[in-house]
Amino acid sequence: MKGGATQRTMRAFMVRALSFSAVAALTLNPALTPVVASDYRAAPAPAASADGGQMNARFLSLGVGKSIVIDLPRDIKDVLVADPKIANAVVRSAQRAYIIGATVGQTNIVFFDAAGQQIAAYDIAVKRDLNGVRAALRAALPNSDIQIEGVGDGVMLSGSAASPVDAQQAGEIATRLVGGPDKVVNSITVRGRDQVMLKVTVAEVSRSLIKQLGIDLTANLNYGTTVVKFANSNPFTANSSPLVAGNALTTSFGSSVSATIRAMESAGVVRTLAEPNLTAISGESATFISGGEFPIPTGVTCQTSSTGAIGNCVQTVSFKKFGISLNFTPVVLTEGRISLRVMTEVSEVSTENALTGGAGGTTIPSIKTRRAETTLEIPSGGSMAMAGLIQDQTKQAINGLPGLASLPVLGTLFRSRDFVNNQTELMVLVTPYVVRAVAQKDLSRPDDGFANASDPQADLLGSINRVYGVPGRTEPARNYRGTYGFITD
């Protein structure tokens, strides 16, 4: 008897020690605290809600492959699981159960005691485990505040991003998680959308040099009653339109021989400069066009009467555009870098390769075009040459009388020389800036301070305008030191 009492005392002491250890462990680690259903009051006949669930059921959210511990106030006799494929309940002791999430979906679990009374009811929502994705979003996008929640078999992104690139990257991470973009609802808002101004400079210098020299001989030789006429006219074939038609020197040798010297030297320089500027929001496209259109005859449209007669003919035309155009799509990246999709074009009406035809001799001009289209990545305020061209074209043609034109010195009288040299240098520069709006007073227009001249000034002095500047403003003389000019952040 004494030994049995001692064993009972030791058993009670061990139970108290284990209970104290369990309480201490749960206090120090709240994550291990089980869900306790002691506050649930069992009802003899639990009422059902309109949607088929229990009115007094508790809601639990689980991740796929995650579990939760449930402690109940009475012994469990029976468990009802609506859909074991979504979540399952495992009972290991009389008053403790483990609920495990299997797949995405919703179900409910009800526990009963030995008397058939309901102990507790739970509405279970099994969602994707997004803790790893949340950690990845925080690590990849530290400057953005993005939340991700499960919606059915997909996810929904919300919150704010620092830039459109961050929002796009978050969407790509979520797409990899769910396996397709159709299961991602992207509701991320961009806190501040940057605006980009693009400055494009198209600079071209074209130099041309033409040299033409030819000698035409005309002679009449009489031998008794026989008259022999000699005429040598050598064309200039290197250039499509000869320049020396009215530039000639004629010399006569006696009464029967005359020589005409045709010579021309022409040099020209053409400079073309276009600097279109355009501003757009990051991620949006913008287009700038400055130019015009000219008509091109395309045909004649006539009406046919019931008798087969043709009349009321109308000339139909189409219009061809020319001028300066700029189209670009900027995307502001991290660290102030800008990705640009740029298309720029400078075109002008030209007489080269023009087409002349028709009854009235209509001349249809051609269009000389400089076009560049590419994708670049440039820091704000940096410049890059997106296109360039150096072209050197030389043409030379010698025409003359066979045999005589090949003589070393004397052959110059029987031939013509046409030399053409065209040099072109073209460069397209792009410079993007991240800009912000300013007050209207800080902006200036080309017509600020412009005023038409009065009648006496226009008639007597030949003035076109009176003042070009801001009327009444006199700028004091300043001595600038160091770097000055246009400063851009």
Side-chain angles (χ1 to χ4, degrees):
M1 293 294 291
K2 185 177 181 180
T6 303
Q7 292 180 357
R8 286 192 297 271
T9 304
M10 292 295 296
R11 188 181 299 112
F13 175 76
M14 293 178 64
V15 170
R16 293 190 186 95
L18 291 175
S19 300
F20 178 77
S21 300
V23 172
L26 294 177
T27 303
L28 295 176
N29 191 357
L32 300 177
T33 305
V35 177
V36 181
S38 57
D39 58 346
Y40 178 85
R41 293 185 179 181
S49 62
D51 57 357
Q54 301 292 331
M55 291 185 62
N56 50 4
R58 298 179 60 183
F59 177 78
L60 291 179
S61 178
L62 289 178
V64 177
K66 300 295 183 178
S67 62
I68 191 172
V69 181
I70 301 292
D71 284 339
L72 299 171
R74 299 194 300 274
D75 293 347
I76 306 171
K77 181 62 178 179
D78 195 9
V79 179
L80 173 62
V81 180
D83 192 348
K85 295 182 180 179
I86 297 177
N88 201 0
V90 179
V91 179
R92 293 298 185 182
S93 63
Q95 296 182 7
R96 174 167 290 185
Y98 307 97
I99 300 178
I100 304 172
T103 185
V104 177
Q106 292 185 355
T107 185
N108 63 336
I109 299 177
V110 184
F111 297 94
F112 300 93
D113 58 8
Q117 298 295 323
Q118 178 176 318
I119 303 174
Y122 294 92
D123 286 337
I124 309 297
V126 181
K127 303 178 180 179
R128 295 180 181 273
D129 186 13
L130 304 176
N131 292 329
V133 182
R134 293 188 181 97
L137 289 175
R138 286 193 298 268
L141 309 171
N143 297 326
S144 300
D145 183 15
I146 300 176
Q147 290 82 35
I148 181 170
E149 298 294 338
V151 179
D153 59 346
V155 295
M156 182 179 68
L157 298 174
S158 60
S160 61
S163 65
V165 178
D166 290 355
Q168 181 180 0
Q169 186 176 356
E172 293 175 354
I173 295 175
T175 300
R176 289 183 175 270
L177 170 68
V178 299
D182 55 336
K183 297 182 179 180
V184 178
V185 179
N186 195 338
S187 300
I188 300 175
T189 60
V190 180
R191 287 196 295 267
R193 303 190 67 179
D194 295 321
Q195 299 184 89
V196 179
M197 184 190 74
L198 181 64
K199 177 182 179 181
V200 178
T201 302
V202 180
E204 179 185 15
V205 176
S206 178
R207 296 174 291 271
S208 62
L209 177 63
I210 300 176
K211 295 181 180 180
Q212 294 177 339
L213 176 62
I215 299 178
D216 298 337
L217 294 178
T218 303
N220 294 325
L221 303 178
N222 298 325
Y223 295 95
T225 59
T226 303
V227 178
V228 178
K229 295 183 178 181
F230 175 80
N232 180 27
S233 178
N234 303 313
F236 299 101
T237 58
N239 193 10
S240 58
S241 56
L243 303 178
V244 296
N247 193 17
L249 177 63
T250 303
T251 302
S252 299
F253 301 92
S255 60
S256 60
V257 180
S258 63
T260 302
I261 300 176
R262 295 182 298 155
M264 172 64 74
E265 180 174 354
S266 174
V269 176
V270 178
R271 176 178 179 264
T272 302
L273 178 64
E275 288 187 339
N277 296 342
L278 189 60
T279 303
I281 297 177
S282 176
E284 302 293 337
S285 299
T287 302
F288 170 84
I289 298 177
S290 176
E293 299 179 351
F294 65 92
I296 298 177
T298 57
V300 178
T301 302
C302 299
Q303 296 180 357
T304 304
S305 63
S306 59
T307 58
I310 299 176
N312 297 330
C313 296
V314 179
Q315 176 74 52
T316 59
V317 296
S318 62
F319 291 88
K320 182 67 176 179
K321 296 181 180 181
F322 67 94
I324 301 172
S325 67
L326 172 62
N327 179 280
F328 84 112
T329 303
V331 176
V332 179
L333 307 176
T334 57
E335 300 179 357
R337 301 190 65 84
I338 303 173
S339 176
L340 297 173
R341 178 68 180 174
V342 187
M343 194 287 291
T344 182
E345 177 180 324
V346 176
S347 58
E348 60 181 338
V349 179
S350 175
T351 57
E352 299 178 3
N353 303 320
L355 178 62
T356 302
T362 304
T363 300
I364 302 175
S366 62
I367 295 181
K368 187 178 181 181
T369 305
R370 303 90 164 169
R371 182 186 297 113
E373 182 176 0
T374 185
T375 301
L376 301 172
E377 184 176 328
I378 315 174
S380 176
S383 299
M384 183 175 293
M386 62 175 288
L389 170 66
I390 296 179
Q391 182 179 3
D392 192 346
Q393 184 183 53
T394 301
K395 295 181 182 180
Q396 186 169 216
I398 295 178
N399 299 280
L401 188 66
L404 297 178
S406 301
L407 296 177
V409 178
L410 188 61
T412 306
L413 300 175
F414 302 95
R415 64 172 178 255
S416 65
R417 175 177 178 264
D418 193 5
F419 175 80
V420 179
N421 182 19
N422 293 322
Q423 295 178 340
T424 301
E425 187 171 354
L426 172 67
M427 180 174 290
V428 180
L429 303 175
V430 292
T431 305
Y433 299 94
V434 177
V435 297
R436 60 182 181 272
V438 298
Q440 184 178 3
K441 62 181 181 62
D442 296 332
L443 300 176
S444 60
R445 306 193 314 266
D447 62 337
D448 284 344
F450 182 85
N452 292 322
S454 61
D455 292 340
Q457 288 178 330
D459 296 337
L460 301 179
L461 302 179
S463 299
I464 298 178
N465 62 288
R466 290 184 293 174
V467 177
Y468 195 83
V470 179
R473 177 184 296 180
T474 57
E475 295 291 340
R478 300 178 182 177
N479 295 324
Y480 296 99
R481 294 182 180 179
T483 303
Y484 61 91
F486 295 96
I487 301 175
T488 305
D489 295 336

